[in-house]
Amino acid sequence: AQSVAQPEDQVNVAEGNPLTVKCTYSVSGNPYLFWYVQYPNRGLQFLLKYITGDNLVKGSYGFEAEFNKSQTSFHLKKPSALVSDSALYFCAVPYFGNEKLTFGTGTRLTIIP
Amino acid sequence: DAGITQSPRYKITETGRQVTLMCHQTWSHSYMFWYRQDLGHGLRLIYYSAAADITDKGEVPDGYVVSRSKTENFPLTLESATRSQTSVYFCASSDAGFSKNIQYFGAGTRLSVL
């Protein structure tokens, strides 16, 4: 079965420092991978996706994600964290080629001023 | 640009009561989804729909019923609410084709079953 794992429930980063939110995947075939963000009292919002090609994917709000096939990882990154980046982050993978998504359990990112 | 709206935003009900959560989207997206979000579980898919009159079970469908008579509406009904159904419920929609899997979420309904 297609699945993703987020090994950290909570990540704390000082404002201005680089941030990384980790995701590993287990899929059959070529992976399609997604990151979503959830701000307080809101629904999830799409951030970025990897389908094929360049291993570094750029998304919204200055975020990027690095696809690493050998480590089966798709970590979310940002060079300089903002307090407004504090939110819950989910990685996701589609079920076998269809429109359903399986989400990770989420990582709460807190940026400390 | 209304997008996708859920109602009510908050609901308190009692065990055994029937509750319907509403979801409406203005994009004419083909696909619609219902999720529940619980601490430690992330989002779990309850039901989804590929088009009007086409629905299918997700990961945790027991105790829930859906219908989709019109493309834009996808109500979720708890036929006899239980305390374990206390959760935050999200509706989402997505288009077909290249942008599939980019799901757009409503703001959620926080349901408490007493």
Side-chain angles (χ1 to χ4, degrees), chain A residues 34 36 38 43 97-100, chain B residues 37 48 90 100-101 103 106:
Chain A
F34 294 77
Y36 282 77
Q38 184 181 26
N98 70 35
E99 286 67 28
K100 295 187 293 182
Chain B
Q37 183 175 26
Y48 70 103
F90 288 99
K100 73 176 186 179
N101 300 132
Q103 296 185 10

Side-chain angles (χ1 to χ4, degrees), chain A residues 12-27:
Chain A
N12 297 326
V13 177
E15 185 179 18
N17 283 4
L19 69 87
T20 298
V21 182
K22 296 179 181 178
C23 175
T24 59
Y25 65 88
S26 174
V27 303

Side-chain angles (χ1 to χ4, degrees), chain A residues 63-77:
Chain A
F63 283 93
E64 56 192 22
E66 185 174 13
F67 173 73
N68 188 315
K69 189 172 184 178
S70 63
Q71 297 185 4
T72 62
S73 67
F74 188 56
H75 299 334
L76 182 69
K77 300 184 178 188

